[in-house]
Amino acid sequence: MKKIGVLTSGGDAPGMNAAIRAVVRKAIFHGIEPYAIYQGFSGLINGNIKKLALGSVGDIIQRGGTILRSARCEEFKTKEGQLKGVEQLKKFDIDGLVVIGGDGSYRGAKALTELGFPCVGVPATIDNDIPGTSHTIGFDTALNTVLSAIDNIRDTASSHERTFIIEVMGRGAGDIALFSGLAGGAETIVIPEADFDIADICDRLRKGQERGKKHSIIIVAEGVMSGTEFAAKLKNAINIEIRVSVLGHIQRGGTPTGFDRVLASRLGARAVELLMEDKGGRAVGIDQDVIVDNDILNILDQPHSFHEDIYTLSKELSI
Ligand code: ADP
């Protein structure tokens, strides 16, 4: 392994830069030349590739987003696109590739692996929906961003004695809603992994009112329905004042937390080690604070794990 490439793809996540830095520095530490592939798989197809120096990743560990920029690339979903990508990698004499991103990006890395090119996936997405790792890079930062928003909304909710519905990101996986709901003391959490019952939610709201509760916070993951749709459902069933807050893209940006920076540094460095050990076709992750790796060819076949215990606990603690 003399030259390795690194790219970020799909939705950006805080901590991607810390992962890029780890890949580049770890490679240089071991005498390997690192190459940046800009704009994800689209840059790969177009040969938007440049050699990186040690200093090129200076001052980025604390920055959100990705200095390599990201892109969605439909062409890379086709065999022709993927072959063009392999051609570019060969043109630059790159021997291995680190792909930092979410499940779509993993599918791209899987396709390259199937074409015989050594790739390692590094899980980076705020959604925390990648199997084979308890945490993805960016999740902890997004969780804390959402929490600070919940805390702010709680102030106004309690001053005006209102019920607030807060819509957060999470299409297939409700981890942002689930963890922020527990940590933010939400009365109700609505996520794709669990059914909800409007009558039961209204019952909980009424009981809260009866014992003098001044406000309620309901967290809805966007994958279930929009906050506005949920408010309409609730309005039909109970006569209370409801406000809706959609947090939107503020959840994606921001300075990565210490946890995400450490995770990104460990996972990025391990990805380089695997390539050095001639172990392409892997996806790195963390499991009980141990860095692990799994087969990238079948990792996405495993289901995303639902933390039912946390869901149950949040209900118990918000009576
Ligand atoms: P994320 O990685 O955040 O889940 P996307 O789902 O948009 O984001 O995927 C990012 C990119 O990965 C896509 O634009 C495409 O270039 C590539 N990709 C996604 N699915 C596949 C696939 N089945 N085969 C090859 N490449 C894919």
Side-chain angles (χ1 to χ4, degrees):
M1 199 60 54
K2 293 205 170 60
K3 296 179 181 181
I4 62 164
V6 56
L7 64 78
T8 50
S9 161
D12 62 305
M16 276 184 161
N17 279 328
I20 296 164
R21 174 181 177 271
V23 170
V24 170
R25 294 259 163 105
K26 181 81 176 175
I28 293 176
F29 180 83
H30 289 286
I32 296 168
E33 288 179 18
Y35 280 76
I37 296 153
Y38 293 94
Q39 288 170 318
F41 293 116
S42 153
L44 178 60
I45 288 177
N46 299 319
N48 194 354
I49 301 173
K50 285 193 190 79
K51 188 176 161 183
L52 286 174
L54 206 57
S56 56
V57 290
D59 204 23
I60 66 165
I61 195 166
Q62 79 285 14
R63 279 200 253 153
T66 160
I67 59 156
L68 299 183
R69 301 191 298 281
S70 194
R72 314 249 186 218
C73 174
E74 283 305 308
E75 192 183 353
F76 203 72
K77 291 183 182 170
T78 67
K79 189 77 176 266
E80 294 77 34
Q82 292 155 13
L83 287 170
K84 276 191 205 169
V86 173
E87 223 173 273
Q88 291 290 358
L89 289 162
K90 288 201 173 136
K91 199 166 118 193
F92 283 82
D93 284 328
I94 293 171
D95 316 293
L97 179 66
V98 178
V99 173
I100 304 170
D103 60 343
S105 308
Y106 267 41
R107 287 198 178 87
K110 178 183 170 189
L112 287 172
T113 302
E114 282 167 343
L115 289 171
F117 195 87
C119 273
V120 175
V122 175
T125 161
I126 63 165
D127 294 335
N128 208 34
D129 61 350
I130 305 281
T133 187
S134 62
H135 291 78
T136 57
I137 297 166
F139 171 63
D140 186 64
T141 305
L143 168 60
N144 281 287
T145 303
V146 170
L147 263 184
S148 105
I150 294 175
D151 292 347
N152 288 0
I153 288 170
R154 184 185 281 281
D155 287 346
T156 179
S158 70
S159 304
H160 293 276
E161 306 193 8
R162 276 178 187 145
T163 294
F164 259 86
I165 292 172
I166 305 177
E167 179 193 314
V168 302
M169 283 183 172
R171 290 215 168 84
D175 278 23
I176 293 180
L178 183 58
F179 284 76
S180 70
L182 176 66
E187 274 67 30
T188 299
I189 300 169
V190 184
I191 50 175
E193 292 90 341
D195 293 333
F196 68 89
D197 176 16
I198 286 284
D200 175 54
I201 294 170
C202 291
D203 198 38
R204 290 163 68 84
L205 286 171
R206 271 191 214 100
K207 282 195 180 127
Q209 279 176 338
E210 276 161 27
R211 69 173 172 86
K213 224 169 177 172
K214 300 251 180 301
H215 61 271
S216 288
I217 304 267
I218 298 173
I219 311 286
V220 178
E222 65 180 347
V224 179
M225 67 181 73
S226 75
T228 315
E229 283 172 296
F230 194 81
K233 273 193 189 298
L234 210 53
K235 272 258 175 215
N236 273 339
I238 188 169
N239 184 27
I240 50 167
E241 267 229 69
I242 302 173
R243 292 286 182 275
V244 178
S245 187
V246 181
L247 299 189
H249 280 84
I250 61 158
Q251 295 164 88
R252 263 194 204 286
T255 303
T257 58
F259 180 89
D260 273 334
R261 296 185 209 190
V262 171
L263 179 65
S265 301
R266 294 175 78 187
L267 293 181
R270 182 64 189 136
V272 173
E273 276 176 4
L274 284 168
L275 288 174
M276 286 168 58
E277 291 164 12
D278 225 4
K279 291 186 190 145
R282 309 297 291 170
V284 291
I286 189 164
D287 180 16
Q288 305 199 6
D289 206 35
V290 175
I291 303 299
V292 295
D293 56 274
N294 294 285
D295 192 340
I296 204 159
L297 296 182
N298 58 27
I299 189 71
L300 292 179
D301 300 340
Q302 293 170 33
H304 155 71
S305 56
F306 168 40
H307 297 272
E308 201 169 353
D309 53 331
I310 292 186
Y311 185 70
T312 306
L313 180 63
S314 81
K315 282 198 160 185
E316 288 171 357
L317 299 188
S318 64
I319 41 172

